[in-house]
Amino acid sequence: MFNVVAPVVSQEGTCEAGHRIGDKFVIGQTTPCGMCSWAFYTVYPFSQPLQFGAHFPWEPDPDVSRVACPDPDNPVVFELRRGVVA
């Protein structure tokens, strides 16, 4: 099983959770401390396949998936990257 590192790569408007470009979260066996629950609910379905070695055919890099939080007026984009084996 791999960890997934999820840095914020884009943020527009005002994120109510205060996430900013450069914030980094590690998704492994536990919920990342400080990550907005709405963002986590959105990235979780994409982080799980990456954790277990899968990839998304529409992504050019098999170790990466880009996912946006569900707030359309203040989007925060996370770049999920398969990391080290946990």
Side-chain angles (χ1 to χ4, degrees):
M1 184 174 139
F2 297 89
N3 282 326
V4 172
V5 178
V8 175
V9 295
S10 174
Q11 194 277 314
E12 296 177 23
T14 303
C15 172
E16 290 300 320
H19 294 324
R20 296 183 307 246
I21 293 173
D23 289 351
K24 233 180 243 188
F25 302 94
V26 177
I27 303 168
Q29 294 291 339
T30 59
T31 306
C33 183
M35 182 182 252
C36 164
S37 59
W38 290 104
F40 180 70
Y41 295 147
T42 304
V43 302
Y44 182 76
F46 294 89
S47 68
Q48 285 295 286
L50 289 173
Q51 282 184 300
F52 292 97
H55 68 278
F56 298 97
W58 58 85
E59 295 285 3
D61 183 336
D63 292 325
V64 173
S65 183
R66 291 172 58 98
V67 181
C69 78
D71 183 348
D73 296 324
N74 303 288
V76 177
V77 178
F78 298 85
E79 182 179 87
L80 307 180
R81 181 170 292 278
R82 189 180 350 255
V84 298
V85 176

